[in-house]
């Protein structure tokens, strides 16, 4: 069974989602109550954009192990975009309580707090995610946006530059850095990230406007 799970993880890592599902189902044929494999099936649907199916599998995983943090945090990250934001936040908090060392759980919790307008709590959760895993691009980027909202522009610049260092191919980070530098009156420095934004996404009119 473990061989099937490892094969599924390898296939998922290179984007072969449907093939990964085949091996996860083989693992479940041997052990139907393996909540980890059930959660991984949920992930395969989540990252393919089918959140409805992902939710079903996360709920199945939690029906077997109600404290399984990876399923809790992924289900919470789906629900936070629905009308059940308070229930979603409870799931996200429970995930961090069930496994305080799970960095993505803290990152998802931070996003949940942002959506509820609780920026101080979001900052704390974000910093915890980064403390546990300094290579989480999303947490550095989210922390940058949180700090911008708090007008802590120097700190926001540091976080955003780190996000760019970890993943230089996403236009959002370069645009955020450009706006942060404009906010600090560093107009010459702002030009480069704004031009990079346009290079990565030529139709992003906000970057053209800011550069102009």
């Amino acid at each position: 069974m473990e061989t099937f799970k490892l094969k599924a993880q390898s296939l998922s890592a290179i984007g072969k989602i449907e093939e990964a599902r085949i091996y996860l189902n083989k693992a479940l044929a041997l052990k139907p109550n393996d909540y980890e494999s059930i959660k991984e099936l949920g992930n395969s649907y989540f990252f393919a954009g089918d959140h409805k199916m992902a939710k079903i599998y996360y709920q199945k995983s939690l029906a077997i192990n109600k404290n399984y943090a990876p399923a809790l945090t992924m289900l919470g990250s789906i629900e936070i975009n629905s009308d059940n934001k308070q229930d979603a936040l409870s799931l996200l908090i429970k995930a961090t309580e069930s496994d305080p060392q799970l960095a993505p759980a803290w990152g998802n919790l931070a996003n949940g707090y942002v959506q509820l307008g609780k920026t101080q709590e979001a900052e704390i959760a974000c910093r915890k995610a980064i403390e546990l895993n300094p290579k989480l691009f999303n947490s550095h980027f989210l922390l940058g946006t949180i700090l911008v909202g708090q007008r802590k522009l120097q700190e926001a610049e540091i976080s955003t530059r780190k996000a760019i260092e970890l993943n230089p191919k996403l236009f959002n980070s370069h645009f955020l850095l450009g706006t942060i530098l404009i906010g600090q009156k560093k107009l010459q420095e702002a030009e480069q990230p704004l031009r990079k934004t346009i290079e990565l996404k030529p139709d992003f009119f906000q970057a053209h406007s800011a550069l102009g």
Side-chain angles (χ1 to χ4, degrees):
M1 188 187 77
E2 292 301 321
T3 302
F4 290 144
K5 291 168 71 172
L6 289 171
K7 183 67 174 178
Q9 289 175 5
S10 299
L11 290 166
S12 294
I14 58 176
K16 295 185 176 181
I17 302 300
E18 292 186 8
E19 292 179 48
R21 286 180 194 150
I22 293 172
Y23 284 95
L24 287 170
N25 282 311
K26 286 181 178 181
L28 286 169
L30 295 173
K31 187 178 178 182
N33 287 334
D34 182 24
Y35 56 85
E36 292 180 349
S37 293
I38 295 171
K39 187 272 299 180
E40 287 300 324
L41 272 173
N43 282 357
S44 76
Y45 286 100
F46 181 89
F47 293 113
D50 188 347
H51 290 183
K52 184 177 179 179
M53 283 298 296
K55 181 177 175 179
I56 290 171
Y57 281 102
Y58 295 144
Q59 289 172 332
K60 285 182 178 180
S61 177
L62 291 169
I64 299 167
N65 182 351
K66 65 180 180 180
N67 295 315
Y68 186 43
L72 285 166
T73 189
M74 293 304 293
L75 181 58
S77 70
I78 291 175
E79 295 288 19
I80 202 68
N81 294 309
S82 70
D83 294 331
N84 304 317
K85 293 189 185 300
Q86 200 58 51
D87 290 343
L89 189 64
S90 297
L91 288 167
L92 296 169
I93 291 171
K94 186 176 179 180
T96 61
E97 291 173 344
S98 297
D99 187 354
Q101 301 303 308
L102 186 62
W106 288 99
N108 284 341
L109 178 58
N111 183 57
Y113 279 131
V114 166
Q115 295 210 34
L116 290 171
K118 299 182 177 182
T119 57
Q120 288 186 332
E121 292 91 339
E123 181 184 348
I124 291 169
C126 233
R127 292 191 185 280
K128 181 64 176 179
I130 292 168
E131 175 190 327
L132 291 169
N133 186 349
K135 294 184 179 181
L136 284 176
F137 155 80
N138 287 338
S139 295
H140 288 283
F141 178 76
L142 182 58
L143 181 58
T145 63
I146 292 167
L147 293 169
V148 167
Q150 297 174 349
R151 301 305 299 166
K152 299 175 181 177
L153 297 185
Q154 289 184 329
E155 291 181 60
E157 180 184 343
I158 293 170
S159 294
T160 306
R161 287 189 185 279
K162 184 62 179 179
I164 291 171
E165 177 187 326
L166 291 169
N167 191 342
K169 294 183 179 181
L170 292 183
F171 75 93
N172 313 66
S173 302
H174 295 280
F175 181 68
L176 179 61
L177 178 59
T179 59
I180 290 169
L181 292 169
I182 289 172
Q184 296 181 84
K185 309 299 182 185
K186 299 177 180 179
L187 302 185
Q188 287 185 328
E189 288 184 51
E191 181 179 349
Q192 189 275 330
L194 291 173
R195 290 193 183 278
K196 185 64 178 180
T197 305
I198 294 167
E199 176 189 325
L200 293 169
K201 190 170 177 60
D203 61 347
F204 191 57
F205 76 89
Q206 293 95 327
H208 289 280
S209 177
L211 181 60

